[in-house]
Amino acid sequence: MGVNGVTEVTNNIATAYASSLNAPAESKKKDEEEVKVKAEAAAVYEKSDEKEADKPKVSNKEADRTKIIQQLKADDALRQQQLLDIVHKMMGKQAKTYGIANSDSDDESIWRFLAKGDFTVDAATKAQAQEDISEDGYWGVKQTSERILDFAKALAGDDPDKLEQMRAAFEKGYKQAEKTWGGELPEISKNTFDAVMKGFDELTGKTQTE
């Protein structure tokens, strides 16, 4: 991505994040409620599907079987898209927070653009961002990875195959977030990616050597 492209992206995300920090508690509460609502809806939807699957089939017509198969495929695709969307959004917000917290650092040149142009990071905004990306912060590795995994579990339940579908959706969502940023995400996002993948390994019974 050229300098103009990066400048435009970073100016936009910096302005959006600075605005959100005017009411950090409300913003985070809204994010939590969104994930919770989607997770609860997914859990109810999953339960409904299971009930339908347990019902005895009253017809063996090929048309009925085809319709059921198509519906199941559509349901799986919907769940994967739901996780993909939430991952894209979460990783983007985490990266924005990191950019604000490190706006005057020379360690990662892409984030230096956040401190240029008409945008200025005030002390309060930067302090809040630094707190948010800390080890126990809302956008830290631990809390962010846990929210992603909780949502994946709500969508997939304990089904190993569906959990693998959620893993694939997570990877796709992460790549989309990278594309949005025009390159690799910051170190905190990479560490979050590793934490989520480890969580999927534990949920599906896989080991790091497999």
Side-chain angles (χ1 to χ4, degrees):
M1 171 180 289
V3 172
N4 291 335
V6 174
T7 302
E8 181 180 355
V9 171
T10 52
N11 283 339
N12 288 341
I13 56 109
T15 301
Y17 183 73
S19 176
S20 70
L21 285 181
N22 290 330
E26 289 81 354
S27 177
K28 292 172 187 175
K29 184 177 180 181
K30 183 178 179 181
D31 285 332
E32 290 174 342
E33 289 177 347
E34 179 181 351
V35 173
K36 183 178 179 181
V37 168
K38 289 185 177 180
E40 290 176 348
V44 172
Y45 192 59
E46 175 71 17
K47 185 175 181 181
S48 176
D49 287 348
E50 291 173 353
K51 287 183 177 181
E52 289 297 325
D54 290 339
K55 289 182 179 180
K57 302 295 187 300
V58 297
S59 173
N60 290 323
K61 292 182 179 180
E62 187 64 28
D64 289 339
R65 289 198 298 269
T66 300
K67 184 177 180 180
I68 291 172
I69 292 172
Q70 290 176 340
Q71 183 61 52
L72 291 174
K73 288 182 178 179
D75 293 345
D76 284 341
L78 175 61
R79 294 189 184 94
Q80 292 177 62
Q81 186 62 46
Q82 286 176 321
L83 182 63
L84 188 156
D85 291 342
I86 205 70
V87 168
H88 189 186
K89 182 177 180 179
M90 279 190 183
M91 301 313 297
K93 287 193 174 183
Q94 184 188 57
K96 291 176 188 178
T97 309
Y98 180 89
I100 296 296
N102 295 276
S103 60
D104 59 355
S105 172
D106 289 332
D107 293 339
E108 297 183 59
S109 60
I110 189 173
W111 305 109
R112 282 182 286 171
F113 287 98
L114 287 168
K116 294 183 178 180
D118 297 328
F119 180 79
T120 301
V121 180
D122 60 74
T125 297
K126 183 171 181 177
Q128 180 64 55
Q130 289 174 332
E131 179 182 340
D132 286 346
I133 65 169
S134 65
E135 182 177 356
D136 296 320
Y138 183 83
W139 291 114
V141 173
K142 184 175 183 293
Q143 287 199 44
T144 304
S145 61
E146 285 179 349
R147 289 197 298 277
I148 292 172
L149 287 167
D150 285 345
F151 190 66
K153 286 186 289 185
L155 290 168
D158 297 324
D159 188 323
D161 291 336
K162 290 183 178 179
L163 284 169
E164 287 300 337
Q165 291 177 351
M166 294 301 105
R167 185 202 296 268
F170 165 70
E171 292 178 297
K172 187 174 181 180
Y174 187 90
K175 290 179 180 178
Q176 284 192 1
E178 286 186 317
K179 185 176 180 180
T180 298
W181 284 90
E184 291 186 355
L185 292 171
E187 191 68 24
I188 189 173
S189 299
K190 295 176 183 177
N191 291 339
T192 301
F193 177 90
D194 291 340
V196 173
M197 294 299 282
K198 181 179 179 181
F200 274 120
D201 286 341
E202 293 172 352
L203 289 172
T204 58
K206 288 188 174 182
T207 63
Q208 295 298 318
T209 57
E210 288 184 342

